[in-house]
Amino acid sequence: MSDMLVPLFVLRYNCLRLITKPRFYIILIISAVYLSDITAPICEYSRLKGEPVSLWLFPLLLNNSGIVLVLFLLGVLLFCDAPFLENTEPYIFIRSGRRQWICAQFLFVLLLSAIYIAHIILWSIIPVFFYAAHMPEWGKILYSLANTNAWQLVDLPTRISSFILNQYSPKCAFGVTATISFLVIVLIGSIMFCANLTIHRSVGNILGSLLVLEQYFATNSSGHSLYFFSPVSWVNLEVIHIDGIAKTPSVSYALAILIALSVCCWIISFLVIRKKSIQPFKAL
């Protein structure tokens, strides 16, 4: 078997094992129900006004630190069994080899991150689908909720940011937020994988949770300097800027740091796994 194909076979095994775990489905169900509840008042306001709502809700929802906290803590739960060492793993490890095995785990973290972010995006659309219309702009409903007291009339639990509506086009906001959100989830998975493999299983879970909690404190603090050290905060378009002129991080800074930190975690994991013996973990 070609060495290039070995990681794909290990990845396939990881995916087959994943779909048998109730935890995976519980995370998807909780996030779907949560997003449905968040977007319900927007649907109600659209019905009252008789105007369609835009489908570009995803970047606006992540403007709220509480929503980010819930969704990304669920992301931590998604990777709580990293480095995915269960009873059969030593046999797979021996047959695949160390380098191919670590490549497969990296691909698995990428795939799992992509699935989770795609799921969040999908459930920012599904609840409003029957009240929505495809439009290239943000639409009257979102501008009204952002610039008037309409959000109070329907008890909207999140603030629609007028800054994002005015500074970003829907496609730009969606693309930047989706990319950074994906990289943030990859970083969370990479840190948890590296720490659990290198130190102890609980260490990675604690670090992943602290990384998400950090954005909540950074967003609710009075200073801006914390944003430069709070990767999860960068999913909020109000705290990053494309031009990089403001006192908060630029998009290029966010992308560079997220990629660099993830790569560092996987380099460390590879160096550790070269000499570390495999000890199965109890499945969570």
Side-chain angles (χ1 to χ4, degrees), residues 44-66:
E44 177 63 16
Y45 186 66
S46 175
R47 185 185 66 80
L48 291 174
K49 297 293 290 184
E51 291 279 351
V53 63
S54 170
L55 292 173
W56 305 101
L57 289 177
F58 174 67
L60 298 172
L61 294 178
L62 295 189
N63 170 248
N64 184 287
S65 61

Side-chain angles (χ1 to χ4, degrees), residues 72-84:
F72 284 79
L73 280 178
L74 288 173
V76 172
L77 185 59
L78 196 65
F79 294 107
C80 67
D81 60 346
F84 319 116

Side-chain angles (χ1 to χ4, degrees), residues 17 21 126 145 167 177 226 237 243 260 272 274 279:
R17 188 167 57 186
K21 295 184 177 181
I126 289 176
L145 289 170
Q167 296 295 321
T177 306
L226 285 177
L237 291 180
D243 52 28
V272 169
R274 289 175 65 187
Q279 297 295 330

Side-chain angles (χ1 to χ4, degrees), residues 20-217:
T20 65
K21 295 184 177 181
R23 174 173 50 84
F24 175 66
Y25 299 101
I26 291 172
I27 292 170
L28 297 185
I29 291 170
I30 291 175
S31 56
V33 171
Y34 180 69
L35 288 169
S36 298
D37 184 61
I38 293 294
T39 54
I42 300 176
C43 299
E44 177 63 16
Y45 186 66
S46 175
R47 185 185 66 80
L48 291 174
K49 297 293 290 184
E51 291 279 351
V53 63
S54 170
L55 292 173
W56 305 101
L57 289 177
F58 174 67
L60 298 172
L61 294 178
L62 295 189
N63 170 248
N64 184 287
S65 61
I67 294 176
V68 172
L69 182 69
V70 172
L71 293 179
F72 284 79
L73 280 178
L74 288 173
V76 172
L77 185 59
L78 196 65
F79 294 107
C80 67
D81 60 346
F84 319 116
L85 298 174
E86 297 184 9
N87 291 333
T88 58
E89 208 65 31
Y91 305 103
I92 296 172
F93 187 80
I94 292 171
R95 295 194 63 182
S96 64
R98 295 173 185 268
R99 183 175 60 184
Q100 287 80 5
W101 183 84
I102 202 72
C103 287
Q105 306 315 311
F106 171 67
L107 293 174
F108 183 59
V109 169
L110 290 180
L111 179 61
L112 202 52
S113 301
I115 290 172
Y116 184 61
I117 293 302
H119 172 75
I120 292 175
I121 292 173
L122 186 64
W123 279 97
S124 71
I125 294 173
I126 289 176
V128 302
F129 185 79
F130 293 106
Y131 299 89
H134 179 69
M135 57 183 76
E137 302 299 331
W138 293 109
K140 293 181 180 179
I141 292 296
L142 295 180
Y143 274 110
S144 179
L145 289 170
N147 297 302
T148 70
N149 67 341
W151 63 275
Q152 295 177 321
L153 301 177
V154 290
D155 294 325
L156 185 65
T158 183
R159 178 177 62 89
I160 302 297
S161 171
S162 59
F163 173 84
I164 295 176
L165 298 183
N166 294 326
Q167 296 295 321
Y168 293 87
S169 68
K171 289 182 179 180
C172 178
F174 186 89
V176 171
T177 306
T179 302
I180 292 179
S181 297
F182 166 70
L183 291 176
V184 167
I185 291 293
V186 170
L187 176 61
I188 290 172
S190 301
I191 288 175
M192 293 177 65
F193 184 98
C194 181
N196 287 350
L197 179 68
T198 306
I199 307 173
H200 189 271
R201 189 175 196 176
S202 60
V203 175
N205 298 339
I206 292 171
L207 288 178
S209 300
L210 290 177
L211 193 66
V212 178
L213 289 171
E214 181 192 14
Q215 72 81 28
Y216 187 82
F217 294 119

